[in-house]
Amino acid sequence: MTTAPANLLAVRRLLLDTIKGLDPAAVGIVGDPAHRGGYHCGSDRVVTNDYSVVESPRDSGGLTLYASGLDVGTFSVRSGGATHNLQTFSTWCVAQCRANTPDSRDLREIIYSPDGKVVRRWDRLGKRSSGDDSHLWHTHFSFFRDSTKAGRDQTPLFRRYLTGIGLLEDTDMTPEEHAWLETVHKNLTVLDGRNPVGQIYTRMAMGEDHTNPDFVVPHPSLKSLGAQLASLQTALTVLANKDFTDEQAIVAGVLAGLTPEKIAAAIPPTIAKQVADELAKRLVA
């Protein structure tokens, strides 16, 4: 029985959760029971020489019971000072396919209307260029069947559009990374000091995880480390304010290395007599 694959259901959920006013009935994957042939059908509903199977090895090799098509109906939203609707959305997606962006390479075709008046068809295989008038009010996306068989994430292209028009926050995180971040946040919340469990961890870190006031914690704790850091800071402050220069010792050291001849040679001639007279007075005294 034809079923909707999880990766296209994820695209559908993303669009419905983000685009307010988009009717859930207008975002479909599996064709109605009478539908036969095409990407909205799985292997139990394809027909002889079905174009959605025979025209590409990606489709013939990926055929399963999964439907591989997505329809998106009309919508209109205001965001970032502009109006965004099915037509602007569709033409943006086609432009990404024409540019062969990495997140659009699993799309085989888009049948759409750029203006609500004419129907256009972009086909990666270049085999078709038209579509019926129902595509004036809905856009059809065909995904190569091997991508639905493999379950590859198809949300990045649509997430990039929704981010670009301002309906989603700008983020490069994948759904797996989001889940990981939520797990980390949950675990850190358990350690929050306002949480009973977190309070226990906080007391342990402070070295206060005991009830005996005379108990001496045998390992470093935040409290003991803080005291050591405060003591070290005090010692460094004392050293920084200390004057290590001993001028008398420096002078004595310099004079000890001078001979009378070197001292005499260092005295300028203009004051040599004054020095000699002063020394004579001192010797007499």
Side-chain angles (χ1 to χ4, degrees), residues 26 28 40 70-74 86-87 89-91 93-94 109-114 134-141:
H40 287 296
L70 175 73
D71 285 344
V72 179
T74 58
L86 179 64
Q87 288 73 42
F89 164 63
S90 303
T91 53
C93 289
V94 169
E109 64 183 352
I110 301 177
I111 310 175
Y112 70 107
S113 174
S134 69
H135 297 93
L136 291 174
W137 56 85
H138 86 271
T139 294
H140 170 82
F141 297 86

Side-chain angles (χ1 to χ4, degrees), residues 141-275:
F141 297 86
S142 294
F143 297 81
F144 283 115
R145 292 183 182 275
D146 62 354
S147 69
T148 48
K149 180 180 181 179
R152 278 195 294 275
D153 183 13
Q154 299 301 334
T155 60
L157 175 70
F158 301 93
R159 188 177 297 278
R160 190 156 59 85
Y161 168 76
L162 296 170
T163 300
I165 66 173
L167 291 182
L168 282 180
E169 292 184 5
D170 189 8
T171 175
D172 293 328
M173 288 192 293
T174 65
E176 291 76 15
E177 290 171 331
H178 274 289
W180 173 84
L181 185 60
E182 289 177 359
T183 300
V184 171
H185 179 267
K186 180 179 179 181
N187 291 337
L188 288 177
T189 301
V190 172
L191 301 182
D192 192 302
R194 294 165 293 182
N195 182 289
V197 176
Q199 291 171 7
I200 294 174
Y201 279 97
T202 301
R203 290 198 303 271
M204 290 175 65
M206 292 294 292
E208 298 174 349
D209 53 323
H210 51 79
T211 56
N212 184 354
D214 298 325
F215 177 75
V216 177
V217 180
H219 54 75
S221 66
L222 290 179
K223 182 174 289 186
S224 65
L225 289 174
Q228 293 177 38
L229 287 173
S231 177
L232 178 60
Q233 185 175 21
T234 299
L236 289 174
T237 301
V238 171
L239 288 174
N241 294 330
K242 186 175 181 179
D243 184 2
F244 291 95
T245 304
D246 190 339
E247 291 85 356
Q248 294 298 324
I250 293 174
V251 172
V254 172
L255 293 177
L258 296 176
T259 63
E261 291 79 11
K262 289 181 179 180
I263 294 174
I267 299 174
T270 55
I271 64 172
K273 184 176 184 308
Q274 296 175 5
V275 173

